[in-house]
Each structure stands twice: as structure tokens, then as C-alpha cells.
Amino acid sequence: GIDMDFDTAVGSLFQPEGRIDPYPAYDVLRAHAAAFPGMENQWWVTSHALVSRLLRDPSLRVADKSDYDQFWPDWRDNRGVASVVLSMLQTNPPDHSRMRRAAAATFTARRVAAMRDVITAQVHELIDELPAETDFVSSFAYPLPIAVICALLGIPESERHWFRQRAADLTVVLEPISSEEEMSRADKAGRDLEDYFVGLVADRQRSPGDDLTSALVQAAGAEDAVLTGEELLANLVLLLVAGFETTTNLLGTGLQVLLDHPREADRLRSDAERAPAVVEEILRYDSPVQLTSRFTTTPLDLGDGKHLGTGTMLTMLLGSANRDPERYPDPHRFDPDRPNIQPVSFGGGAHYCLGAPLARLEAQVAFPLLLTRLPGLALAGEPVRRDRLVLRGYASLPITTGA
Ligand code: HEM
């Protein structure tokens, strides 16, 4: 039942306690309207149908460097911010199409599929090393994605620990509000990562390998200058950070959901073929990315007398869309057998997550192996949620391996 009023629901999304479980608030907002005005010149979008449609609407744009130039002329001084703003994530056509083509041509389905053995070996190694009592986030969910993305980019194993901290420091720039201290850590992380990638790029220019960095360097050096040096660095940083905490959160959330649904865990344990459906339902049930934003470039008519002016910001609540009862009956039930699970957790349209196949593969390999190798795996304490609004997941998840 709905026992929260509309203003309380909106307010709760801006408070750490409200973010622990935003789903009751989403229900209230979605019941209120598929789209409604929030702060000045900003609208919220809550329904699956409208979020999916607007993500694919070519008349909408993402905030890009021209916007940052206007409201924060010194943004380039914060290298954490700069690396994200200069990447494809915050770039519009025609530059976006060019960057995306260069990255997609190198980050291919074949390259991802070829990672299956690396991922499997890494999962086994992490399971072998798990202490009997441990925090699943720090001993599994963090190290797996970083090992995989480092292997993909050709970053040596000895550098992984160093990367992990920098990538974590940098992701605060994806949140709408961060403290000054967080911003200065993000700046430092951005500088360190840029310096590192300058060296790596120079090395791969001299002696190319078969890693993604070498492929991107070659694309960037092509005659039609597919990527500028600055763009190459920004997109390398993006590949590292975009695929890191998001996948960590998918793994942490997914394990918690499976432990909370032992029958589903048993079924997956005895039939690894269920993994793709289980992972899609985990993505729907508790999306690692809860929202993204777009801006109108022309007046936009949403129907029902809702006319939006040019320059209106649309906040798309992905986590709400995924729990829309019009699209997913009984939406708060975890059920991998639902037909046609297509969550908006990886976005949609031109910016659809480039790393989706890799993130899915990591989770599809990890969960069946964790369950079969550790049949006694269980929670061993209170899980602690992160209180972030955009990147949703656990800060810690105490487990016992049952060994
Ligand atoms: C974009 C989610 C893992 C690389 C996105 C977007 C979402 C998303 C929602 C679109 C943002 C928008 O439209 O505003 C996720 C989730 C992941 C994940 C939930 C894990 C569960 C990864 C991985 C990589 C990656 C593993 C790379 C190794 C990217 C890139 C973009 C992107 C490069 C920008 C694409 C563009 O702007 O054209 N991701 N992501 N992501 N993601 Fe992921």
C-alpha cells in the first residue's frame, strides 16, 4: 500500500535514509504521473514506457562540455570531472557518433566473448582465496571487475590495486552532489589516471599488443583522426570507471538477492543455464544505475497537456521504470521466469551501455560458480548500503563461505 505523500516521496530521494530503499517512493511518484515537474526547469520521468521512449528520442541531448563551459568555466581544472565530460558519455552527435564508433569497433562482441576464460579463471582464483568469514564486496565484488577491465585494457596485474582506489575516487563525479573533499579526491584520481594512460598509450604506440588499449590507440592514430589524444585518454578513463563500480554493485546486489531467495539460488546452482535470465532479473529488480538525465533541444509535447520548453532537464528514474507494474506485473517480486525481461538498467538509444555484454558475462559466470563451489555460502551480518542516489549497491556484505 502507498503510505507516503508525494512531497515526502520526492524529498526522500534527496536524503541518505531515503536512498537506502527508494522503491516505495518511486511507487508514489509513478502513481502520481509518468512525468511531472520538479525543480525549476526540471522534470521527473517514472514510467517504463516513457523512460524507454525518451532514452531513444534523438531530439534529446546529454549535458556536454558546452554546458559545463557556461555554468562552470573552470571545469577542466578538475581532472576527474574533465575525464568524464570529455568522454563519449557526455558528448552529443556528431562527436558522440565518432567516438562511439571508434570504441565499438574495438570493444567488439568477439573481444568480450574471448574474456570468458579470463573471467572464469579469475572467479576461481577469488573463490580459492576467500576467507571463511569475509566482506563479499571487498574480497570479490570489487576485485573481479577491476581484474577483468585491467586484463581487457592490458594493464598489468601489479597495477590493479592502485587502479581500484583511483577508480573509486573518480566515480563521485557521476553523483549530482558531492562534497569538496570528494571533488578534490576525484581531481587527484583523474590526474593520476591520465598520467598513467599517457604512459600506457606511449608504450602501446611503440609496441602494440592484442589488448583494447592498443586497438584504441590504432583507431586514434588512423588517418581520419578518429579520436584526439584528449578524447582517447578520457574514453580510456571512462572504460575503467564506468565498468567498475557499476559491475561491483551488480555482483554485490545479485548475491544478496540470491541469498534472500534460496529457491532461486538452488535452481541456479543445479542449472547454470538459468544464469542469463537470473542476471537480467537482478538488473531489473535492483538496478546498479538508478537514474540518468537528458535535456530537450526543442519544445517537447508529452501528451496530457504537458508541454516542455527547450532546455528542460529530464531526470529518468531507471530504477522506477524497472518496477513499473504496467510493464512488470507484481514488480516487487524477484522472478527470473517472468517473460520478456528487458530492464532499462543499461540505458537505451545512442548512449546504451557499451559494456553491457561484459558486465552480463561477469555476473553470468560468477553466480553459478559461487553457488556450486560454496554451497554453504550465507550472510553473516547486516549488509550496509551505499547511500548514493545514482550508483546503487552495497558498501559491505558480510558473508560466511560455509567452508
Ligand atoms: C553507459 C550502466 C557496466 C562502459 C552506460 C549507461 C548506463 C550504464 C545506464 C548509459 C548512461 C546514459 O544513457 O546516460 C551500466 C551498468 C553496468 C555497466 C548497470 C554494470 C552492471 C559497464 C562496463 C563498461 C561500461 C563493464 C566497460 C567496460 C560504458 C560506457 C558507456 C556506458 C563506455 C557510455 C556509452 C555512450 O555514451 O555511448 N552504462 N554499465 N559499462 N557504459 Fe555502462
Side-chain angles (χ1 to χ4, degrees), residues 21-297:
D21 177 10
Y23 295 106
Y26 292 159
D27 281 348
V28 174
L29 302 182
R30 202 188 314 102
H32 177 74
F36 58 86
M39 289 171 292
E40 195 184 344
N41 234 8
Q42 178 252 336
W43 281 59
W44 297 92
V45 186
T46 62
S47 76
H48 181 94
L50 199 53
V51 166
S52 309
R53 194 184 101 202
L54 292 174
L55 281 171
R56 288 165 182 79
D57 185 335
S59 81
L60 298 179
R61 62 197 291 277
V62 296
D64 68 19
K65 57 186 175 188
S66 68
D67 303 286
Y68 281 78
D69 284 340
Q70 280 182 27
F71 66 80
W72 183 9
D74 297 332
W75 63 270
R76 278 171 195 265
D77 293 349
N78 186 312
R79 297 313 298 173
V81 172
S83 65
V84 174
V85 175
L86 292 165
S87 77
M88 70 184 109
L89 186 65
Q90 298 208 301
T91 300
N92 288 297
D95 288 342
H96 176 265
S97 329
R98 176 176 53 79
M99 283 185 200
R100 173 91 188 194
R101 254 199 319 274
T106 51
F107 198 175
T108 56
R110 223 174 106 212
R111 198 182 285 278
V112 173
M115 293 300 290
R116 181 179 280 273
D117 291 345
V118 174
I119 296 170
T120 305
Q122 191 63 46
V123 168
H124 277 297
E125 198 180 311
L126 287 168
I127 293 176
D128 289 340
E129 288 165 5
L130 277 182
E133 303 265 328
T134 187
D135 166 28
F136 181 74
V137 175
S138 56
S139 53
F140 190 94
Y142 258 123
L144 179 62
I146 204 84
V148 172
I149 195 65
C150 285
L152 194 67
L153 291 172
I155 296 164
E157 206 167 329
S158 54
E159 306 285 352
R160 283 178 200 168
H161 182 75
W162 186 91
F163 268 93
R164 203 173 122 174
Q165 190 53 51
R166 306 248 166 354
D169 286 350
L170 207 146
T171 53
V172 299
V173 306
L174 299 174
E175 295 290 313
I177 301 164
S178 309
S179 71
E180 224 167 277
E181 195 212 323
E182 284 175 321
M183 290 303 274
S184 93
R185 272 211 306 273
D187 173 39
K188 173 85 171 61
R191 283 170 203 277
D192 289 350
L193 289 170
E194 281 178 340
D195 289 347
Y196 181 85
F197 280 124
V198 166
L200 188 70
V201 163
D203 180 77
R204 296 308 194 273
Q205 268 159 348
R206 281 193 302 273
S207 47
D210 61 3
D211 52 72
L212 184 60
T213 307
S214 300
L216 274 169
V217 167
Q218 274 155 353
E223 223 165 273
D224 50 348
V226 177
L227 295 176
T228 66
E230 189 179 53
E231 289 170 353
L232 174 64
L233 283 186
N235 285 298
L236 280 167
V237 173
L238 179 71
L239 284 175
L240 183 75
V241 300
F244 168 44
E245 202 163 306
T246 46
T247 312
T248 297
N249 290 343
L250 169 61
L251 295 169
T253 298
L255 184 74
Q256 195 281 334
V257 170
L258 286 168
L259 295 179
D260 212 29
H261 296 81
R263 200 179 83 93
E264 289 303 334
D266 282 343
R267 294 173 75 196
L268 179 58
R269 185 181 288 116
S270 56
D271 180 8
E273 305 261 301
R274 289 181 60 76
V278 169
V279 169
E280 289 316 287
E281 179 66 350
I282 292 167
L283 284 160
R284 181 197 74 82
Y285 186 74
D286 209 0
S287 179
V289 178
Q290 289 282 306
L291 65 83
T292 184
S293 304
R294 295 292 186 272
F295 294 82
T296 58
T297 58

Side-chain angles (χ1 to χ4, degrees), residues 288-350:
V289 178
Q290 289 282 306
L291 65 83
T292 184
S293 304
R294 295 292 186 272
F295 294 82
T296 58
T297 58
T298 56
L300 182 69
D301 186 355
L302 292 181
D304 294 336
K306 293 171 182 168
H307 302 286
L308 280 55
T310 301
T312 305
M313 177 177 168
L314 292 160
T315 307
M316 321 259 197
L317 294 174
L318 306 176
S320 166
N322 284 343
R323 297 260 193 131
D324 183 344
E326 297 244 333
R327 175 63 175 77
Y328 299 106
D330 199 1
H332 303 306
R333 201 163 76 86
F334 177 73
D335 177 11
D337 288 326
R338 348 176 137 258
N340 197 16
I341 310 173
Q342 285 174 322
V344 289
S345 313
F346 291 117

